Amino acid sequence: MPEWKPEILRRLAPLKLSSAREAEIADELAQHLEDRYQELLLTGQSEDTAFRTAIDELEGEYLLARGLRPVERDWYREPIAVGKDSNNVFSGIFQDLRYALRMLQKSPGFTVLAALTLALGIGANTAIFSMVNGVLLRPLAFQQPQQLCVIREIIPQLTKFYPTFPANLPSFRIWKRELHSFENIGIANGISIHFIGRGGAIELPGAKVSSSLLETLGTYPALGRNFRADEDDPGRDHEVILTNSFWRSEFQADPAIVGKAITLNSESFEVVGVLPASFHFPQSSELGALTNFSPRLAFLKPLGEDASQFEAMGDLDYAAIGRLRAGVSLAQALSELNVVQAQIAKQANEHMDLRAEIIPLASEVLGPARQGLLFLLAAVGTVLLIVSVNLASLLLARVPRRMREAAIRTALGASRARLARQMLTESLLLGILGGALGILLASFGVSTLVRAAPPGVPRLAEVSIDGRVLLFAIVISVVTAALFGILPAWQVAHTEPQDALKSGATNTTESRRTRSLRSSLIGLEVALSTVLLILAGLFTSSLVHLLRVNTGFTAEHILATDVDLPPRSYPSNAAGQRFYDQVLAAIRTLPGVRSVGWINQLPLAGEGSVSAIGLPSTNKTDASNFPLADFRVASPDYFSTMEIPVIAGQIYTAADRGRKLAVISQRVAERLWPGKDPNGQMCVINWGGWKTFQVIGVVGDIRTVQMDKSPVMMVYLQDLPFDNVALGGSIVVRTMMDPSGAASAVREAINKIDSNVPITALRPMTEVISKSVDTRRFQMRLALLFAVCALFLASLGIFGVVGYSVERRRQELGIRMALGAARHDLLRMVLRQGMTPVTGGLAAGVVTALFAGRLIGSLLFDISANDPVTLATVVLVVAGVGLVACFVPARRAMRVDPIVALRYE
């Protein structure tokens, strides 16, 4: 036997390889030359001729060196000996990546489908997480927001009516002087001002704030200055600070506006500053009950404290925000505050106790939005999990095609870890591709979500895709790739080479374990889809129940028009009443109008003026004897226009103006005169001081605050009990046609009376009701969208697995038919095997949903988390979809030709 190695080593010498590498190559080439030598001997060549021919085929001593040199020096392309793992980590990784790309390119249909499915799942998760990040995770856009808190007052005698109240001005002044636990305290109250802009007269939403508010928040004007302390005094409040958005929209971001005067309420106000774009003041829903702030403020103005506000205990209508001193806990601050509150109550001598509540500002701002957003994140995460399970099923279905390849590589020495790494590399590439597309989709999805989200969702203006969101997208892309890739990788890595090599390339069969694994994945998909569908069904049923609730009035064919009376033109209640009288008279003459009335605040527009009401004989020293009612000023025709039923007595008329008459709701009657007729009875109302009114009528309860809140006690007056203010209000018009068709005529009628009165809103009353449930509708739509996507993905998974099973079992089906099995027997068999995991997943999903439903109980209205109608509907839908997904491939099984099937390989 010739010695090949000396010659080979001589030719390898110029490469200067390591001894181990050189020996490895020499062994391989020596074996190659020996095999070639034996072949040449069999052709009849002599030993000497065969030896020289084999050596000559190396084609010269420099060719070998020239061919191996680039391979050896290019570290990431180092050739790996057959059946061995590389010692160079980078070499193996880059080889895996190149091979994974080739494999994905061989199946473009599968690659595109998988990438798009992943993109939708990852994009939806990224978009929802961007909302969670902007609303829940990102700190409030104030300096050291963890030190900020909301201060609310508690009157123990009234907690059964209202647990907490906003702050008042007298308390604020004492807090500023006496409290040492706070670095600073500021207060604010929502207001609106008449402004004539480029588009005509508008109602400008803003806030009346103490000079300490911006300093408390740690926010300072981007242009100009903050308010001075002396501008809190009466008559010194003719300065404004503009919000950044209003400054840009109305004044085109002109920096010279600072120091100039603008006209508000027909009075001159100096612009002293412009707030930064990052400033977002919390809205009413974020600062507790009985506060009134627009979602988009246009300006801030100083308090201009009215001396009347410091009489007795003042009005409880200011949002108070404090900044704790460093190192002071909420408990310590509350303890000090309650001591001061007790002193305030003692000095006021109004026979009421006072306490306080301190809530972190972040907690108060987020409120119930936290639970809803976390639910949506869980729902969309479930969809991504279903996507992973679906892709895992598809990859498992492709495993038999890869078994022969894996068996050959294993037989040549590849380790199981190397095989698994190769499969996981393919999954990782899919995950990266799907993640990149998902981030692009999310960039569009975030803007769509923000536009579609209702105003009640806090901090919407702060929602965006930032570094944290991108990191989240990258992480879920990698994790998802690992989830759907690990099972196929494990399956391939544990292939038995002998079994795979004994079978043909096209009929490599799968084991019972693989079939059971795919069935389990289908069951998991169905279970997850069932949970989402049941929860989405509960949200849908809850919204349907809410929209069907008796509001106490008829909203159809009602046009609601909001107006704001400029104080300069309408300085008194009497002047405002004359305006409304003229407008109502003009609208009554319009064609198609059945009736018209007005009220100072529409139903479902929140709480208005809340004051105590009781009997004249009641001891006024005990506040618990006086329930709190919501007061409205309404015209006589308002009740008939809104079709609010009159239960007893009558409604006041225009001739009764000036008399102290009141119409009360049924709840007030039941509270003050249980089992008695309240008509003609006298009551006392603490609105601008204790005043006595006579009850002349009782009307039905209405939903005043929100659709999902029980009706509150209501008192309707024809006139304000004081004449120093004119009320803005809403004109309600009942028409004989679509109310939107009367909008232009109503607008024209109002403008003819006074074109300087801004019309702030003009819409059908049904739209008011619809907007009052926007938050619930938003949650329901997203939950339903995710649930339908989950069901669709699950149906694709069922169809794919059952169809693949039929295809793999074509020979078996042919044999069964050849042995006498009827076609309907094959149909039943395939359906039974396909529906078994569906049934199991459906049962598991129902049980899981019963537990999950308890977690969202607070988000539901008038419906149980285990509502039988919802459960039954979802079970039927999922079972029906699963049956259809199984039936299509089952019918294909019935059409198998036994002769063709037996020939199939």
Side-chain angles (χ1 to χ4, degrees):
M1 179 177 179
E3 280 293 329
W4 307 103
K5 286 189 177 181
E7 180 65 20
I8 294 172
L9 291 174
R10 184 180 68 81
R11 299 191 181 211
L12 288 175
L15 293 177
K16 298 181 180 180
L17 302 174
S18 65
S19 57
R21 184 67 174 139
E22 189 176 62
E24 190 176 34
I25 295 175
D27 287 341
E28 177 128 1
L29 289 176
Q31 182 61 50
H32 168 74
L33 292 175
E34 179 62 28
D35 292 343
R36 180 61 177 154
Y37 174 72
Q38 294 298 331
E39 288 177 4
L40 293 172
L41 288 178
L42 292 175
T43 63
Q45 293 188 21
S46 65
E47 291 183 359
D48 184 61
T49 303
F51 175 80
R52 292 185 177 280
T53 302
I55 290 294
D56 290 342
E57 286 182 356
L58 287 177
E59 298 179 16
E61 60 178 310
Y62 296 109
L63 183 60
L64 178 62
R66 195 165 56 248
L68 291 177
R69 185 178 290 112
V71 176
E72 188 62 32
R73 290 183 178 176
D74 195 352
W75 57 270
Y76 64 84
R77 297 181 58 190
E78 178 186 349
I80 301 173
V82 179
K84 300 290 184 181
D85 286 336
S86 172
N87 292 325
N88 190 325
V89 175
F90 293 102
S91 172
I93 291 175
F94 281 100
Q95 282 198 344
D96 287 345
L97 287 173
R98 290 199 305 275
Y99 186 76
L101 282 172
R102 288 200 302 269
M103 294 303 296
L104 293 178
Q105 288 171 354
K106 283 184 178 180
S107 304
F110 167 78
T111 303
V112 171
L113 177 63
L116 290 179
T117 304
L118 280 170
L120 289 174
I122 293 172
N125 272 268
T126 304
I128 294 296
F129 180 78
S130 69
M131 291 195 70
V132 172
N133 178 55
V135 176
L136 301 183
L137 303 182
R138 187 181 294 167
L140 298 178
F142 305 120
Q143 288 185 12
Q144 298 177 315
Q146 72 280 0
Q147 293 181 252
L148 295 174
C149 57
V150 175
I151 305 174
R152 292 182 63 82
E153 302 202 57
I154 298 175
I155 303 175
Q157 293 87 344
L158 299 178
T159 52
K160 59 183 177 181
F161 305 115
Y162 285 92
T164 64
F165 291 87
N168 63 17
L169 283 173
S171 295
F172 165 68
R173 295 183 71 186
I174 296 172
W175 293 345
K176 288 274 292 181
R177 185 175 65 247
E178 300 292 337
L179 293 179
H180 304 288
S181 299
F182 294 87
E183 285 186 10
N184 214 334
I185 300 175
I187 60 172
N189 190 15
I191 59 173
S192 61
I193 283 182
H194 178 248
F195 174 72
I196 300 179
R198 291 178 300 159
I202 59 174
E203 180 185 19
L204 208 59
K208 184 168 58 174
V209 304
S210 65
S211 58
S212 58
L213 179 69
L214 292 180
E215 185 180 348
T216 300
L217 295 174
T219 299
Y220 301 94
L223 297 175
R225 63 171 177 86
N226 191 6
F227 296 131
R228 296 190 299 265
D230 63 334
E231 290 169 343
D232 285 341
D233 298 332
R236 301 294 304 276
D237 60 341
H238 278 56
E239 293 82 19
V240 291
I241 296 177
L242 305 181
T243 61
N244 202 275
S245 58
F246 180 65
W247 171 60
R248 291 181 182 280
S249 63
E250 192 64 35
F251 301 102
Q252 294 77 51
D254 179 11
I257 191 66
V258 176
K260 292 184 178 179
I262 61 174
T263 302
L264 304 172
N265 278 349
S266 302
E267 298 180 24
S268 178
F269 283 76
E270 180 188 355
V271 177
V272 297
V274 177
L275 291 168
S278 61
F279 177 82
H280 301 287
F281 192 73
Q283 54 186 303
S284 296
S285 60
E286 302 168 14
L287 288 175
L290 302 177
T291 57
N292 180 30
F293 295 96
S294 169
R296 294 178 178 83
L297 298 182
F299 69 93
L300 305 179
K301 70 177 292 290
L303 277 180
E305 298 168 340
D306 186 348
S308 66
Q309 287 283 344
F310 295 98
E311 297 176 2
M313 294 187 64
D315 292 334
L316 297 159
D317 49 12
Y318 283 84
I321 298 176
R323 177 177 290 277
L324 294 173
R325 291 190 184 277
V328 176
S329 67
L330 287 176
Q332 291 171 327
L334 182 60
S335 177
E336 181 190 23
L337 180 56
N338 278 331
V339 171
V340 174
Q341 288 291 86
Q343 296 172 355
I344 294 174
K346 184 176 180 180
Q347 293 171 3
N349 194 28
E350 291 201 5
H351 310 288
M352 286 192 297
D353 298 325
L354 272 182
R355 296 174 59 194
E357 180 181 46
I358 301 178
I359 311 163
L361 180 61
S363 299
E364 189 75 352
V365 167
L366 300 180
R370 180 189 300 273
Q371 188 177 10
L373 284 175
L374 291 179
F375 165 75
L376 291 177
L377 184 61
V380 74
T382 303
V383 173
L384 185 59
L385 182 57
I386 293 174
V387 169
S388 301
V389 173
N390 230 353
L391 289 177
S393 298
L394 289 174
L395 289 174
L396 279 173
R398 292 161 57 90
V399 163
R401 303 178 185 177
R402 306 289 296 272
M403 283 186 174
R404 186 173 178 82
E405 167 206 336
I408 294 173
R409 296 180 67 183
T410 302
L412 293 175
S415 66
R416 289 182 173 181
R418 180 60 190 274
L419 293 176
R421 192 178 76 186
Q422 177 61 58
M423 293 293 294
L424 285 173
T425 302
E426 295 178 26
S427 301
L428 182 61
L429 278 180
L430 278 176
I432 293 173
L433 180 58
L437 293 175
I439 292 173
L440 289 177
L441 289 177
S443 63
F444 296 101
V446 168
S447 58
T448 302
L449 276 176
V450 170
R451 287 195 301 269
V457 178
R459 306 182 67 189
L460 274 180
E462 301 175 50
V463 173
S464 63
I465 295 181
D466 58 9
R468 180 185 289 159
V469 175
L470 290 176
L471 179 61
F472 172 82
I474 294 170
V475 169
I476 63 171
S477 299
V478 174
V479 171
T480 302
L483 285 176
F484 69 74
I486 194 166
L487 285 177
W490 180 86
Q491 192 74 24
V492 169
H494 286 76
T495 298
E496 292 296 335
Q498 296 84 355
D499 296 338
L501 292 173
K502 286 177 184 177
S503 303
T506 61
N507 69 343
T508 301
T509 57
E510 59 184 354
S511 65
R512 182 185 298 272
R513 183 172 58 185
T514 302
R515 290 196 297 268
S516 299
L517 185 57
R518 285 214 316 273
S519 295
S520 299
L521 292 178
I522 290 300
L524 178 59
E525 282 190 80
V526 172
L528 294 174
S529 302
T530 301
V531 173
L532 281 186
L533 278 171
I534 290 176
L535 297 182
L538 291 174
F539 276 115
T540 304
S541 298
S542 176
L543 182 62
V544 170
H545 282 229
L546 188 58
L547 291 174
R548 289 179 178 174
V549 74
N550 181 17
T551 58
F553 56 88
T554 304
E556 289 74 18
H557 295 287
I558 289 287
L559 180 70
T561 307
D562 297 346
V563 295
D564 184 44
L565 302 186
R568 277 291 184 93
S569 303
Y570 301 93
S572 66
N573 177 49
Q577 288 285 8
R578 286 193 294 272
F579 168 79
Y580 288 117
D581 289 342
Q582 294 173 7
V583 168
L584 298 186
I587 293 176
R588 286 191 190 98
T589 63
L590 297 177
V593 172
R594 290 174 54 189
S595 62
V596 59
W598 81 275
I599 188 169
N600 70 308
Q601 189 170 353
L602 281 173
L604 301 175
E607 292 164 305
S609 298
V610 177
S611 296
I613 183 173
L615 302 178
S617 58
T618 304
N619 180 10
K620 294 184 178 63
T621 62
D622 188 355
S624 63
N625 293 327
F626 290 87
L628 298 178
D630 203 334
F631 286 76
R632 296 284 194 274
V633 177
S635 68
D637 290 334
Y638 168 78
F639 302 94
S640 59
T641 300
M642 296 293 290
E643 295 184 356
I644 298 174
V646 179
I647 297 173
Q650 61 185 13
I651 304 299
Y652 42 69
T653 65
D656 295 322
R657 186 168 291 167
R659 299 175 59 191
K660 288 184 168 49
L661 303 178
V663 174
I664 61 174
S665 67
Q666 194 171 3
R667 290 207 168 194
V668 177
E670 293 171 352
R671 177 71 172 81
L672 297 182
W673 297 279
K676 298 179 181 179
D677 182 5
N679 284 313
Q681 301 287 345
M682 306 302 291
C683 65
V684 289
I685 297 172
N686 188 12
W687 197 8
W690 289 103
K691 298 177 177 62
T692 302
F693 283 77
Q694 182 182 16
V695 176
I696 63 169
V698 179
V699 296
D701 294 320
I702 66 168
R703 301 276 169 164
T704 307
V705 183
Q706 293 177 350
M707 291 283 286
D708 56 356
K709 302 293 184 185
S710 299
V712 300
M713 293 190 292
M714 295 288 298
V715 177
Y716 301 93
L717 308 176
Q718 186 171 199
D719 299 289
L720 282 173
F722 38 83
D723 193 49
N724 61 347
V725 65
L727 292 176
S730 297
I731 300 166
V732 291
V733 182
R734 180 166 293 280
T735 65
M736 291 180 285
M737 67 287 193
D738 180 3
S740 300
S744 59
V746 169
R747 183 186 295 275
E748 185 178 350
I750 296 172
N751 287 334
K752 282 184 178 179
I753 303 299
D754 189 344
S755 60
N756 290 323
V757 171
I759 299 173
T760 58
L762 199 155
R763 71 284 193 204
M765 192 64 198
T766 51
E767 184 179 316
V768 175
I769 293 178
S770 178
K771 285 189 175 182
S772 70
V773 297
D774 270 353
T775 300
R776 289 181 179 271
R777 183 184 290 109
F778 178 68
Q779 293 172 345
M780 181 271 293
R781 284 176 174 172
L782 286 182
L784 198 58
L785 173 64
F786 298 149
V788 171
C789 288
L791 182 61
F792 176 71
L793 290 170
S795 65
L796 287 181
I798 297 169
F799 174 81
V801 168
V802 176
Y804 177 77
S805 178
V806 169
E807 185 68 21
R808 300 295 302 173
R809 300 171 63 186
R810 181 176 294 188
Q811 279 187 319
E812 174 197 337
L813 297 175
I815 293 172
R816 287 177 180 271
M817 295 184 67
L819 294 176
R823 294 183 183 274
H824 62 269
D825 293 330
L826 298 182
L827 177 66
R828 281 199 302 268
M829 181 188 70
V830 175
L831 287 178
R832 182 178 65 251
Q833 293 177 352
M835 288 299 293
T836 297
V838 173
T839 305
L842 189 55
V846 170
V847 173
T848 305
L850 291 177
F851 288 98
R854 299 177 183 177
L855 301 177
I856 62 167
S858 62
L859 301 176
L860 303 178
F861 174 79
D862 197 28
I863 189 172
S864 168
N866 55 357
D867 177 51
V869 175
T870 302
L871 294 177
T873 302
V874 170
V875 168
L876 290 175
V877 169
V878 174
V881 170
L883 189 62
V884 171
C886 292
F887 182 75
V888 175
R891 283 197 64 188
R892 192 164 67 235
M894 293 173 59
R895 297 173 181 173
V896 171
D897 187 334
I899 303 300
V900 175
L902 291 172
R903 292 175 180 171
Y904 176 76
E905 181 172 330

